[in-house]
Amino acid sequence: QSVLTQPPSVSGAPGQRVTISCTGSSSNIGAGYDVHWYRQLPGTAPKLLLYGNYNRPSGVPDRFSGSKSATSASLAITGLQAEDEADYYCQSYDSSLSDSVFGGGTKLTVL
Amino acid sequence: QVQLQESGPGLVKPSETLSLTCTVSAYSINSGYYWGWIRQPPGKGLEWIGSVYHSGYTYYNPSLKSRVTISVDTSKNHFSLKLSSVTAADTAVYFCARLAGVAPYHYYMDVWGKGTTVTVSS
């Protein structure tokens, strides 16, 4: 059971907008620690999608955006494409655990 | 562009020590960044293991700290993971990664290796 809670699954049709939430607490997101997002295609290594809550690395399209408020963060994907079907993970730091932590992951299905 | 490659035995016996190496290419470990290990049990999510700086300074997951050693060899431009007293619960894909951002509170993994599968079984 991760200290960062993500929905196990979300889905959307091509072209739609979906959001994936990452809910934490006062010892991680609520304490001001950055949230980062990764995408993992089946059988491959995770890839950095967003860092520092909302920053996109070079090469990541602006269809991907991030936000953060209070004790939660969200990843939004607009213009959903078939290749977006993957597992998505949030990551932050937790002061109670004195450790980096990952969310449990969310499987995105493109209908 | 920076590339990371994990290597090591794919099968380890229970109670023995798992040893993996991550070789970095197209970037000198001495130039900075923390370097880390993450694992993913079959069908499960990601678990942070720990990280090392080129100076040898380390951060470890508290739940694994008693069994984990991460070290760096700047002359070979690689860093290593040792996990002792392994059990079946340590069976996972092990990834190495470069860590950007301010350690340890804000760092994130910006470059990943492809991962290597380690099975703990007799």
Side-chain angles (χ1 to χ4, degrees), chain A residues 32-34 36 38 40 43-48 50-52 87 89 91-93 97-105, chain B residues 6 38 40 44-50 59-63 95 100 104-115:
Chain A
Y33 298 114
D34 287 343
H36 320 289
Y38 304 87
Q40 186 177 32
T44 68
K47 175 187 172 185
L48 180 66
L50 296 174
Y51 66 95
D87 293 324
Y89 293 90
Q91 176 239 326
S92 186
Y93 181 86
L97 299 175
S98 297
D99 192 21
S100 285
V101 289
F102 287 96
Chain B
E6 305 88 350
I38 303 97
Q40 185 171 36
K44 296 188 177 181
L46 302 169
E47 181 181 27
W48 171 252
I49 299 173
Y59 291 103
Y60 294 137
N61 180 332
S63 69
F95 298 99
Y105 309 112
H106 299 290
Y107 61 22
Y108 53 91
M109 297 101 221
D110 70 339
V111 182
W112 293 69
K114 292 182 178 181

Side-chain angles (χ1 to χ4, degrees), chain B residues 6 14 17 26 31 37 40-41 45-46 49 51 55 57 64 69 71-74 76 79 98 108 111 113 115 117 122:
Chain B
E6 305 88 350
T17 296
S31 297
W37 290 95
Q40 185 171 36
L46 302 169
I49 299 173
S51 65
S55 62
Y57 196 83
L64 298 171
T69 302
S71 59
V72 62
D73 187 333
T74 55
K76 296 181 180 178
F79 59 104
R98 187 177 76 171
Y108 53 91
V111 182
T117 299
S122 54

Side-chain angles (χ1 to χ4, degrees), chain B residues 1 19 21 24-26 30 33 35 39 47-48 60 62 75-76 81-82 87-88 90-91 95 107 109-110 114-115 120:
Chain B
Q1 93 197 32
S19 295
T21 295
V24 180
S25 52
N30 262 330
Y33 288 99
W35 305 87
R39 69 181 182 178
E47 181 181 27
W48 171 252
Y60 294 137
S75 66
K76 296 181 180 178
L81 167 70
K82 291 189 186 299
T87 69
D90 295 308
T91 293
F95 298 99
Y107 61 22
M109 297 101 221
D110 70 339
K114 292 182 178 181
V120 178

